[in-house]
Amino acid sequence: MEIISIIVLFASFFTLLMLKVPVAYSIGISTTLSLLLNIDNLPGITTIAQRMTTGIDSFALLAIPFFVLAGEIMKRGGIANRMINFAKSLVASLPGGLAYVNVLASMLFGAISGSAIAAASAIGSIMTDRMEEEGYPRELSASVNITSSTTGLLIPPSNTLIVYALASGGSASVAALFIAGYLPGILLGFAIMGYIAYVAITKKFAKGARAPLSEIATNFGNAFFSLLLLFIVVGGIVAGIFTATEASAIAVLYAAVLALIYGDIKVKDFPDILLTAARTTGVVMFLICTSMAMSWLFSFEGIPELMSGFLLEQFSNKFVIFLVINLTLLIIGTFMDMTPAVLIFTPIFLPVVVALGMHPVHFGIVLVLNLCVGLCTPPVGTILFVGSGVANVSVTKVIKPLLPFLLIMIIVLMLITYIPEISMFLPTLFEL
């Protein structure tokens, strides 16, 4: 009966996805159908409802709506423009300088907002036209924006890393994950810049004027208090001054006060900001609800043990197993959104990699970066569609220039997978 339940679970799930049923509903329906094969209707439906409810009964998850709200305030509060001007004064004079600006601004804004979508929409809507004026094809600008915006999911604060901490069952703390994401996120950003340098030199893109030190200092001063939020939030968590949830509330207050001082947001704008953040939070929380129910069903059916036994029996080399897991997650990421993928597949693969000596924090960074690739690929790729939309180019035209950037992301993924020190150096240094 267990095998039949597993077959029904996956068959119904993929069928519903192919029928374009929203992911959250696909997860919930397939989970319910599978469980009803084992127990009666009323207890089965009651159990699913209980698991959905208890799945979000977590103090750590309170950080998500606060970080979503903080990101929405920052998106509308003129912070993106200040980031772009500061980044431009640093690197615009280099070959491909404006593309570097896009990457740096995405890294900074994505890290502060904790949202790849916010970074892609805020930075892309500003940078695409600027880059086109200096001879950059809109398709290339969109590709740079799409891939660089994912760095904010690694560089803290990151909602996805909070979700992984929950899915790991406490084996990876939010503080350790946050500090572990810095070097991989920076490495990814620099790798994207490396390819941009090659393209800029071969295609002879125009260089910008070198900014005088006075302009750099002015732009840094304008962006300083925005950048300071990173140190307040992450530094406070790492130092043990406050939890991730408390840090998220501080981020909202800080961002609101800063936006009001800058004058880019008025008090009358907050009802609409709150409504938008509430809608986003509702979608995320519903995904978490259904994903936690499916994750519980996996444990109920013994799927993590089956997967662990299968991989350890079929492959004797741990490096091959890591490769198989990465390839599996790359495929999953193409059709499943990041939040449910983290919640569903962490309980399956985490026991396997831990048995092979990989630290849970290290695996969290590998998992998130892996699924970042899926955000940039069809058919589900959220960031792909957002980035193409703000650049006003069709997805089909973006795919070709996007492919080298996706290859860069996969190369960085392999480096982070097989060189654990990239992820674990800072957590080890801070004894997290």
Side-chain angles (χ1 to χ4, degrees):
M1 182 61 73
E2 287 183 358
I3 298 300
I4 296 175
S5 297
I6 293 171
I7 293 172
V8 169
L9 175 66
F10 285 105
S12 60
F13 175 63
F14 289 118
T15 301
L16 290 167
L17 283 180
M18 287 187 288
L19 294 173
K20 297 185 178 180
V21 176
V23 175
Y25 291 101
S26 300
I27 293 170
I29 293 169
S30 59
T31 301
T32 304
L33 289 175
S34 179
L35 185 61
L36 292 180
L37 292 177
N38 292 324
I39 59 179
D40 293 335
N41 292 350
L42 183 58
I45 294 173
T46 303
T47 299
I48 295 297
Q50 288 175 337
R51 293 297 168 179
M52 289 176 64
T53 304
T54 56
I56 59 171
D57 184 15
S58 168
F59 180 72
L61 285 182
L62 279 175
I64 292 179
F66 283 117
F67 277 130
V68 168
L69 178 56
E72 189 63 28
I73 293 171
M74 293 170 194
K75 180 181 173 182
R76 302 196 194 187
I79 291 175
N81 261 320
R82 290 173 173 79
M83 296 292 182
I84 288 171
N85 291 334
F86 174 53
K88 185 176 181 180
S89 64
L90 290 177
V91 296
S93 62
L94 300 173
L98 275 187
Y100 292 155
V101 173
N102 196 323
V103 177
L104 280 178
S106 292
M107 290 170 69
L108 293 171
F109 186 80
I112 290 175
S113 67
S115 169
I117 294 176
S121 58
I123 304 301
S125 60
I126 298 170
M127 287 303 303
T128 305
D129 290 336
R130 291 192 187 182
M131 292 175 71
E132 187 178 35
E133 290 172 2
E134 298 197 16
Y136 294 83
R138 294 185 77 87
E139 295 82 0
L140 177 64
S141 301
S143 300
V144 172
N145 183 45
I146 288 164
T147 49
S148 64
S149 65
T150 62
T151 57
L153 297 176
L154 291 168
I155 302 173
S158 165
N159 289 336
T160 307
L161 292 177
I162 294 171
V163 171
Y164 172 78
L166 173 70
S168 71
S171 59
S173 70
V174 173
L177 288 165
F178 273 13
I179 202 72
Y182 272 113
L183 292 183
I186 293 170
L187 175 62
L188 177 59
F190 283 175
I192 293 171
M193 288 183 190
Y195 177 70
I196 290 170
Y198 167 76
V199 173
I201 292 170
T202 54
K203 295 187 178 294
K204 299 180 180 179
F205 287 136
K207 299 180 183 179
R210 184 183 296 276
L213 287 176
S214 59
E215 181 181 338
I216 296 175
T218 300
N219 289 328
F220 174 72
N222 291 335
F224 173 77
F225 289 103
S226 303
L227 296 171
L228 187 62
L229 180 60
L230 273 176
F231 294 96
I232 292 174
V233 171
V234 179
I237 294 171
V238 172
I241 299 172
F242 38 70
T243 66
T245 303
E246 293 163 346
S248 65
I250 291 170
V252 170
L253 180 62
Y254 186 96
V257 171
L258 193 62
L260 288 170
I261 291 173
Y262 284 157
D264 297 306
I265 289 179
K266 308 297 182 185
V267 174
K268 66 179 181 180
D269 297 323
F270 278 96
D272 185 52
I273 291 172
L274 288 167
L275 185 60
T276 302
R279 288 186 184 128
T280 303
T281 300
V283 172
V284 172
M285 287 302 180
F286 187 48
L287 275 169
I288 292 174
C289 281
T290 55
S291 300
M292 291 299 287
M294 180 177 276
S295 179
W296 170 82
L297 184 64
F298 281 172
S299 299
F300 181 75
E301 298 288 356
I303 293 176
E305 291 78 11
L306 289 174
M307 180 63 73
S308 179
F310 172 77
L311 289 174
L312 294 174
E313 287 175 10
Q314 296 298 317
F315 305 102
S316 58
N317 190 314
K318 69 176 183 179
F319 298 107
V320 175
I321 296 177
F322 293 159
L323 180 62
V324 170
I325 291 174
N326 267 320
L327 290 174
T328 303
L329 290 171
L330 284 170
I331 295 169
I332 289 165
T334 61
F335 62 82
M336 185 179 289
D337 199 22
M338 180 172 279
T339 297
V342 169
L343 288 167
I344 291 169
F345 292 96
T346 296
I348 293 177
F349 291 125
L350 184 59
V352 179
V353 298
V354 169
L356 295 171
M358 181 181 282
H359 196 283
V361 171
H362 179 200
F363 178 66
I365 302 300
V366 171
L367 174 67
V368 171
L369 176 54
N370 192 307
L371 296 174
C372 282
V373 179
L375 293 177
C376 306
T377 57
V380 174
T382 311
I383 307 302
L384 172 63
F385 292 105
V386 170
S388 301
V390 297
N392 198 24
V393 293
S394 68
V395 172
T396 53
K397 290 183 179 179
V398 172
I399 294 298
K400 185 176 179 180
L402 183 65
L403 290 175
F405 290 97
L406 294 178
L407 179 60
I408 294 293
M409 293 182 75
I410 292 172
I411 291 172
V412 172
L413 171 64
M414 292 298 106
L415 289 174
I416 291 171
T417 300
Y418 294 112
I419 306 176
E421 289 77 13
I422 298 174
S423 301
M424 298 306 299
F425 173 74
L426 291 178
T428 303
L429 182 65
F430 288 97
E431 298 181 353
L432 294 172

